[in-house]
């Protein structure tokens, strides 16, 4: 199968880590090309892995309507869609795989320009605003399949649709990296200097409001109020600094 993969950004966060793992597992049996912006760590990782790459305009379009940013984002989505359609024709792609919601919107445009069937990967829940719901309707009405990273994400996408389309497919895991028989667990209690019987909570995610680290902090505070000897470890970094 010939697969054209689309990603709206060349930055790397969880969605791109999952994508790189997926590409490594697919490349031996399928013809793969990735469309993403030219500048950034994802483009560099693809080049290092010798995975064919084609540039598309970066698109950090917000799902919050704005008098300037929204029209600019729409123009970039349309430009990206045109690039995807041309790239799909050149490689005779059988499938267009959008790894992000913004890439999915590019895929919607590409589909209308003759691109092959669109498969969309959902990593996050769309906002429940009218604008977010409009984005969902456009994707649901165009995609041949929508696969979600969790049951919650799939259910939220399907809610209110006349025909549920999103299906939960968990992200792949590198079993060799997380094999408890091969990889010893980190002794964070000793490393952090806390009691071995203390409750240790952890959240691994990029530092951003929609990952809700504030919920984890409030949970810790509530446990402490109940006299639970609990500690919280936040693991992550700020991946995107633009308005979301």
């Amino acid at each position: 199968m010939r697969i054209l993969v689309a990603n709206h950004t060349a930055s790397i966060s969880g969605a791109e880590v999952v994508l790189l793992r997926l590409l490594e597992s697919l490349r031996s049996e399928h013809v793969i090309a990735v469309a993403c912006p030219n500048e950034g760590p994802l483009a560099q990782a693809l080049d290092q892995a010798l995975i064919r790459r084609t540039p598309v305009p970066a698109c950090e379009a917000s799902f919050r309507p704005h008098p300037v940013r929204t029209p600019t984002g729409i123009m970039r989505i349309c430009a990206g869609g045109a690039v995807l359609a041309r790239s799909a024709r050149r490689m005779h792609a059988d499938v267009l795989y959008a790894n992000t919601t913004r890439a999915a919107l590019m895929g919607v445009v590409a589909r209308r320009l003759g691109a092959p069937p669109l498969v969309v990967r959902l990593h996050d829940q769309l906002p429940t605003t009218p604008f977010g719901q409009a984005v969902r309707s456009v994707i649901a009405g165009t995609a041949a399949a929508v696969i979600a990273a969790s049951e919650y994400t799939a259910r939220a996408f399907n809610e209110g649709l006349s025909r549920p389309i999103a299906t939960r497919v968990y992200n792949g895991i590198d079993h060799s990296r997380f094999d408890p028989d091969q990889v010893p667990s980190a002794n964070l209690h000793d490393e952090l200097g806390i009691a071995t019987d203390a409750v240790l909570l952890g959240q691994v995610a990029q530092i951003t409001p929609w990952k809700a680290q504030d919920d984890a902090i409030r949970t810790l505070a509530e446990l402490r109020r109940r006299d639970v000897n609990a500690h919280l470890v936040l693991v992550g970094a700020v991946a995107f600094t633009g308005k979301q």
Side-chain angles (χ1 to χ4, degrees):
M1 183 177 291
R2 306 177 72 85
I3 306 170
L4 177 60
V5 177
N7 205 75
H8 77 282
T9 177
S11 298
I12 290 184
S13 64
E16 288 72 35
V17 171
V18 171
L19 175 61
L20 290 169
R21 189 180 303 136
L22 176 65
L23 294 173
E24 190 59 36
S25 66
L26 290 177
R27 64 188 304 186
S28 62
E29 298 182 12
H30 304 280
V31 177
I32 305 289
V34 179
C36 74
N38 247 340
E39 300 296 329
L42 177 61
Q44 295 168 10
L46 293 169
D47 291 344
Q48 290 170 1
L50 302 179
I51 294 174
R52 178 180 169 186
R53 181 172 61 82
T54 186
V56 294
C59 179
E60 303 294 345
S62 173
F63 291 131
R64 297 175 182 174
H66 184 274
V68 175
R69 290 192 295 271
T70 298
T72 300
I74 291 173
M75 286 190 293
R76 290 193 173 190
I77 286 169
C78 291
V83 171
L84 290 181
R86 290 195 299 270
S87 299
R89 284 194 295 270
R90 281 198 301 268
M91 73 174 292
H92 304 288
D94 300 301
V95 173
L96 174 58
Y97 178 90
N99 187 54
T100 65
T101 306
R102 291 167 180 81
L105 292 175
M106 293 183 186
V108 168
V109 174
R111 187 78 176 112
R112 282 157 172 69
L113 295 175
L118 173 66
V119 175
V120 175
R121 178 63 165 169
L122 291 178
H123 297 275
D124 297 303
Q125 181 183 354
L126 281 164
T128 56
T129 61
F131 192 78
Q133 293 303 308
V135 169
R136 182 187 68 154
S137 297
V138 167
I139 294 173
T142 304
V146 176
I147 51 177
S150 69
E151 195 68 51
Y152 174 82
T153 303
R155 186 169 59 249
F157 189 88
N158 287 330
E159 186 175 356
L161 295 179
S162 58
R163 179 179 65 88
I165 185 174
T167 301
R168 183 264 299 153
V169 178
Y170 290 131
N171 292 331
I173 296 174
D174 183 347
H175 290 277
S176 63
R177 184 177 180 186
F178 296 101
D179 182 353
D181 295 328
Q182 302 293 328
V183 181
S185 60
N187 195 342
L188 281 179
H189 287 81
D190 288 345
E191 185 177 332
L192 299 175
I194 62 178
T196 56
D197 61 347
V199 176
L200 186 57
L201 310 175
Q203 181 178 1
V204 182
Q206 61 169 295
I207 306 300
T208 183
W210 69 85
K211 294 298 183 181
Q213 279 87 0
D214 54 332
D215 285 350
I217 294 169
R218 281 191 287 269
T219 299
L220 174 67
E222 180 61 28
L223 290 172
R224 290 285 185 88
R225 278 194 292 270
R226 299 183 184 188
D227 295 324
V228 177
N229 183 15
H231 298 260
L232 171 65
V233 177
L234 299 178
V235 182
V238 177
F240 303 103
T241 58
K243 294 183 179 295
Q244 301 294 325

